[in-house]
Amino acid sequence: MQRNVFSTHMNSMFDTLLLLPLFQGLAQEDFTKILGKVKLHFTKHKKREVIAAKGSPCRELIFVLKGEVSVTSASDAPAYSLTETLPAPWVIEPQSLFGMQTAYAADYLSTEETSTISIDKLAVINELFKYDIFRLNYMNMVSNRAQQLYERLWRSCTGTLEERIAAFMLLHAERPCGP
């Protein structure tokens, strides 16, 4: 009886992991190989627990599997900040794993009980990047983010005060929707 419960749990976890943007399109056979080689760190976060802090080094990919996370971005001189709530599934700052700035740009706090999986940078480089689908998904995710930010920079910020505030929020939001 316990074996069936375990098997059902594993299939459910498989399905959830395959919904994550970086694993979409990956064959279940390839995903099984990955799970055999890559250590996944499962974490359950209580409500209001810090998942990643602004300025701390990004040494892993953190996937939010279940729950919601508040993301707070602040200006350098803390004159203002923007907090938004993002639901699972998604990945926290994949663009911060590589490049010149490899620290988190925002604070990530669970707003309810939240489940995450993390995969360290070396496993990403040595194992996950071997798979074309993963590499393509990663490049598309980071490129899409860069393109969206570039497009936002050139949007006009004219109009009423209310329209300028809305434009400011859209410029600074991770996802321009939701609370």
Side-chain angles (χ1 to χ4, degrees), residues 137-150:
N137 288 341
Y138 192 92
M139 286 189 322
N140 280 336
M141 182 178 279
V142 173
S143 295
N144 185 42
R145 178 172 170 76
Q147 291 163 359
Q148 286 178 343
L149 291 175
Y150 185 78

Side-chain angles (χ1 to χ4, degrees), residues 55-87:
S56 64
C58 179
R59 296 185 180 122
E60 60 195 355
L61 286 178
I62 301 174
F63 299 92
V64 180
L65 295 179
K66 182 182 170 194
E68 284 187 341
V69 176
S70 74
V71 182
T72 302
S73 303
S75 61
D76 289 339
Y80 59 87
S81 66
L82 175 70
T83 299
E84 54 190 314
T85 304
L86 301 177

Side-chain angles (χ1 to χ4, degrees), residues 23 31-42 117-120 122-124 126-128 131:
F23 295 117
F31 197 68
T32 303
K33 288 179 188 174
I34 289 170
L35 291 177
K37 295 178 181 178
V38 174
K39 186 172 182 179
L40 304 176
H41 305 277
F42 292 88
I117 289 181
S118 58
I119 302 173
D120 69 66
L122 281 177
V124 171
N126 294 332
E127 294 300 328
L128 296 180
Y131 295 89

Side-chain angles (χ1 to χ4, degrees), residues 4-18 28:
N4 290 340
V5 171
F6 180 73
S7 177
T8 302
H9 177 69
M10 286 302 288
N11 286 338
S12 171
M13 184 181 62
F14 244 44
D15 295 339
T16 302
L17 291 172
L18 288 172
Q28 192 162 359

